[in-house]
Amino acid sequence: MQGFIMKYCFFDTETTGLKPDRHELISFAIILHNNDKEIYRTHQKITPLRLNEADPEALKVNGYTYQGWKNSIHSSKAALWLRDFFDQRPDMVIVGHNPLFDIEFVKALVCPRYPSFKMKNRYIDTKHLALASLFPLGLKSCRLDEIRRFLDWSLEGAHDALVDAEHVRDLFYLCRRDLKKLEWKFSSDGISYT
């Protein structure tokens, strides 16, 4: 039996706060895999329009500076790009660390300009994968920084959308079981399809 070809979108965003109805999406990164091989990546910064409403702690965490966002794009251009990207790939699976947070910010950016926009993609939360795979080994928190420390991964560049998307990808593959090599303890454990 031939397996399905899976398209994974390792996705992360940076924002000016935690509330999509008030704060803004100011950066996103996408690493697209087809059949476990990278076929595309992008990292884009978006010019914030309402910095007066930003949470100062969020800006500190994601490292926002005027100079660092000098070559950012306008939110209208980002909204169009994200709309087209997700509309054209309804079959890909979004993989993120608390991806509902990222998805809500994408919707908050895109929907006011394109009201019919809907994200139909399924998603995988790497927080749940870490809970299942790493808590039994001693991990105490599902926060991405704590996972990085537990796995002895560098925190350099943490909370940059691209660095976080790369770590989401690495965590996903670390936690995913390779079913091709899986040996069942009991033959009745295997699932057969008719």
Side-chain angles (χ1 to χ4, degrees), residues 5 10 24 33 50 59 63-64 87 98 113 116 119 143 153 170 178 182 191:
I5 293 177
F10 301 100
E24 297 176 271
H33 277 209
R50 302 185 312 275
L59 298 182
Y64 172 82
D87 275 351
N98 191 15
R113 294 170 173 91
S116 63
M119 291 181 74
R143 292 184 64 234
W153 290 354
D170 295 346
D178 186 347
L182 184 63
I191 300 173

Side-chain angles (χ1 to χ4, degrees), residues 30-135:
I30 288 170
I31 303 172
L32 191 58
H33 277 209
N34 191 350
N35 208 24
D36 296 341
K37 291 185 175 57
E38 183 176 325
I39 59 169
Y40 177 76
R41 73 166 50 202
T42 189
H43 180 209
Q44 188 59 62
K45 292 180 177 178
I46 304 166
T47 308
L49 303 178
R50 302 185 312 275
L51 273 177
N52 59 313
E53 296 181 21
D55 180 341
E57 186 60 29
L59 298 182
K60 183 179 173 186
V61 167
N62 61 40
Y64 172 82
T65 63
Y66 176 78
Q67 190 64 24
W69 264 251
K70 185 177 173 184
N71 296 319
S72 59
I73 62 173
H74 192 274
S75 58
S76 60
K77 185 174 180 181
L80 175 61
W81 192 94
L82 287 164
R83 182 203 70 173
D84 290 348
F85 181 82
F86 287 106
D87 275 351
Q88 293 166 13
R89 296 166 181 85
D91 58 333
M92 74 181 176
V93 177
I94 297 169
V95 183
H97 208 70
N98 191 15
L100 284 178
F101 176 86
D102 303 307
I103 289 167
E104 288 305 311
F105 269 92
V106 169
K107 289 178 181 176
L109 176 69
V110 177
C111 288
R113 294 170 173 91
Y114 306 100
S116 63
F117 174 71
K118 295 199 183 328
M119 291 181 74
K120 300 173 185 172
N121 309 83
R122 294 182 178 175
Y123 62 88
I124 296 171
D125 190 338
T126 51
K127 287 173 73 173
H128 297 148
L129 297 181
L131 181 65
S133 299
L134 301 178
F135 265 60

Side-chain angles (χ1 to χ4, degrees), residues 123-152:
Y123 62 88
I124 296 171
D125 190 338
T126 51
K127 287 173 73 173
H128 297 148
L129 297 181
L131 181 65
S133 299
L134 301 178
F135 265 60
L137 302 177
L139 180 69
K140 303 291 185 202
S141 167
C142 284
R143 292 184 64 234
L144 190 53
D145 282 349
E146 293 306 315
I147 292 169
R148 288 188 256 243
R149 288 186 188 96
F150 181 77
L151 296 172
D152 202 24

